[in-house]
Amino acid sequence: MTGTTAGTPAATGTTERTPLVELEGVSKRYGNVRALQDVSLEVHAGEITCVLGDNGAGKSTLIKTIAGLHPHDGGTLRIEGEETRLSSPREALDRGIATVYQDLAVVPLMPVWRNFFLGSEPRTGVGPFKRLDTGLMRRTTREALLRMGIDLRDVDQPIGTLSGGERQCVAIARAVHFGAKVLILDEPTAALGVKQSGVVLKYVAAARDEGLGVVLITHNPHHAYLVGDRFVLLRRGTMVGNHTRDGIILDELTRQMAGGSDLEALRHELRRD
């Protein structure tokens, strides 16, 4: 087990909490390709676990493993202390694990409220007179967004007219509303500017404050350090760092993320004679 962040119940002398999700020595292979090797991490309620790495580091495979898309083939996955092997995204969702991918899987021309309830639409009436309860969906969407501090101009506007940051925030609010315990966010700030990235991180922190365990996948150590409680660094499918916030400073996190000793060796190679 890694250390705990200052201010958490474990740090104040109470009984150590069971992680919502725990990976211990998890590996995944695709034929002869090793995508993950001996990766461990913990996701606690009310905390943000950041997974950092460049392209090809294994972040996508890790997401798919926790989300139930590609079952692991080595090591142990536990959900609330129970060892398990997820066989589908539906099973992961039923266990309270919601994943927000980079493409968000929204229908751009549909209004915000339709996207908010996509696949889970409530109905009213009986028999052949059943119809979508549009009033309830509009009202619930507005209330759920306001609860997270998101004040949209109009939930009837097509979601495609929102900024990238606003769409990410709607997806986060949707996961909170539908009872997720663990929220996995795949590079939510990757294509955003500084201001919009700040807005998204604000709502990532709001999800944490709602008591969710958040897994933030990112290649940006500055964004990770703003909100993170735990940091797992991946390189070529292997774990090269596992730290709590009180165990590492931003400069060291950035150095490890950038390759550290590899960069130092490269500097010597590129130096002018």
Side-chain angles (χ1 to χ4, degrees), residues 42-196:
E42 296 178 3
V43 183
H44 289 263
E47 288 188 2
I48 298 173
T49 298
C50 299
V51 179
L52 299 102
D54 284 328
N55 293 336
K59 303 191 302 296
S60 295
T61 302
L62 185 65
I63 292 173
K64 292 170 183 175
T65 299
I66 303 175
L69 192 62
H70 293 171
H72 62 288
D73 48 31
T76 303
L77 167 64
R78 300 185 185 92
I79 299 178
E80 296 183 279
E82 178 187 346
E83 186 173 339
T84 189
R85 182 181 174 84
L86 296 172
S87 58
S88 69
R90 180 75 257 176
E91 183 182 355
L93 197 56
D94 290 342
R95 299 290 296 270
I97 300 173
T99 304
V100 178
Y101 292 99
Q102 227 172 320
D103 59 11
L104 294 178
V106 297
V107 182
L109 296 180
M110 280 188 176
V112 173
W113 61 267
R114 278 303 303 269
N115 276 279
F116 193 89
F117 279 92
L118 200 61
S120 303
E121 294 87 349
R123 298 178 182 273
T124 186
V126 294
F129 301 103
K130 268 193 173 184
R131 64 189 187 281
L132 293 179
D133 194 340
T134 57
L136 175 63
M137 286 190 279
R138 285 189 176 93
R139 187 168 60 253
T140 301
T141 300
R142 189 174 292 108
E143 291 171 354
L145 294 176
L146 284 172
R147 178 183 170 190
M148 293 287 291
I150 305 168
D151 188 7
L152 289 184
R153 295 177 296 277
D154 182 9
V155 296
D156 279 301
Q157 68 188 102
I159 199 168
T161 63
L162 301 183
S163 68
E166 287 173 326
R167 291 196 296 272
Q168 287 282 355
C169 295
V170 170
I172 293 169
R174 183 184 192 276
V176 172
H177 174 74
F178 283 101
K181 296 179 182 178
V182 175
L183 177 62
I184 306 171
L185 298 166
D186 177 20
E187 298 274 10
T189 62
L192 304 180
V194 174
K195 186 174 181 180
Q196 284 197 40

Side-chain angles (χ1 to χ4, degrees), residues 235 254-265:
R235 190 178 308 149
T254 303
R255 189 190 74 83
Q256 291 190 21
M257 169 71 188
S261 57
D262 292 342
L263 275 183
E264 188 62 29

